[in-house]
Amino acid sequence: MSQCPVCGSQNRDAARFCRNCGKSITPGAVAPGQASPNAAGPAAGGGWTAGQVRTPSAGIPQVPRGTVVRDEQKSPGTILHSQKNEVPVAGWFVILRGRRKGRDFRIDKDNSVLGRDGSCDYVIEDDTVSREHARIRKEGDKFVLFDLGSGNGTFCNGEKIQRVELQDGDVLKIGESLILFKEAKPRVSLQTADAPNAPPS
């Protein structure tokens, strides 16, 4: 007869699984509370015996299985104090001439690439556009456009550029496509907009 190392039940010698708890029975297994001949006990520096449950190292937080641990938990709509007075700046492109005429694209990254290649952030379907034609980068509250050594050049309001700070209403020529740059900023400071309502008279 062989003994289950988990529940201690007696099983046939040929049994591979315990008839009581269903756990696997391995050769040389020992019952709970019995020291294994090959296990490192307290004298050998192991500090535990077979059948005991190892406890995690001290200082490691324990959470129930399936718990999602978040670095920062806040309710939807929460505004961090450090971000309270940041001025939001929104920019987008509108295709004026090209295969996607009339389409608009929100600039939602701090660093984006425009070009013909499918890996670009903003794909311009124009054979006269380089694979990676230009880069637009957000610097503070400004959007800055850089030419990336394109074959046909990058133009802003009719002038060839290497670097230009874009302003609302600028028209870009990339290859044979014309693209309008639009920008939205608050008309007043956030402190002014956040002022308490005047008391009723």
Side-chain angles (χ1 to χ4, degrees), residues 145 154-161 164 166 170-173:
L145 184 71
T154 302
F155 296 80
C156 180
N157 300 329
E159 296 184 5
K160 190 172 184 179
I161 60 96
V164 63
L166 297 178
D170 283 346
V171 178
L172 313 176
K173 184 180 179 184

Side-chain angles (χ1 to χ4, degrees), residues 14-110:
R16 297 177 58 189
F17 299 94
C18 177
R19 64 181 180 180
N20 183 47
C21 66
K23 297 295 183 180
S24 176
I25 301 174
T26 57
V30 294
Q34 295 180 351
S36 170
N38 298 323
W48 65 284
T49 59
Q52 293 179 333
V53 179
R54 291 194 184 193
T55 57
S57 303
I60 300 178
Q62 298 300 303
V63 295
R65 179 175 295 180
T67 300
V68 178
V69 180
R70 300 180 183 274
D71 293 334
E72 180 183 3
Q73 295 184 354
K74 55 182 182 289
S75 59
T78 299
I79 299 175
L80 300 180
H81 183 73
S82 59
Q83 300 174 347
K84 184 176 180 181
N85 292 322
E86 288 185 2
V87 177
V89 180
W92 63 95
F93 294 124
V94 181
I95 308 297
L96 299 179
R97 185 177 72 191
R99 294 182 184 175
R100 297 192 179 187
K101 181 179 179 180
R103 293 284 302 276
D104 61 326
F105 302 91
R106 174 74 179 267
I107 304 173
D108 52 5
K109 296 182 180 180
D110 291 339

Side-chain angles (χ1 to χ4, degrees), residues 149-189:
S150 60
N152 291 321
T154 302
F155 296 80
C156 180
N157 300 329
E159 296 184 5
K160 190 172 184 179
I161 60 96
Q162 294 298 321
R163 177 188 183 279
V164 63
E165 290 186 2
L166 297 178
Q167 298 182 12
D168 182 45
D170 283 346
V171 178
L172 313 176
K173 184 180 179 184
I174 297 180
E176 290 300 319
S177 299
L178 293 179
I179 303 172
L180 174 68
F181 171 74
K182 294 295 295 178
E183 183 180 33
K185 293 182 179 179
R187 294 179 57 188
V188 298
S189 68

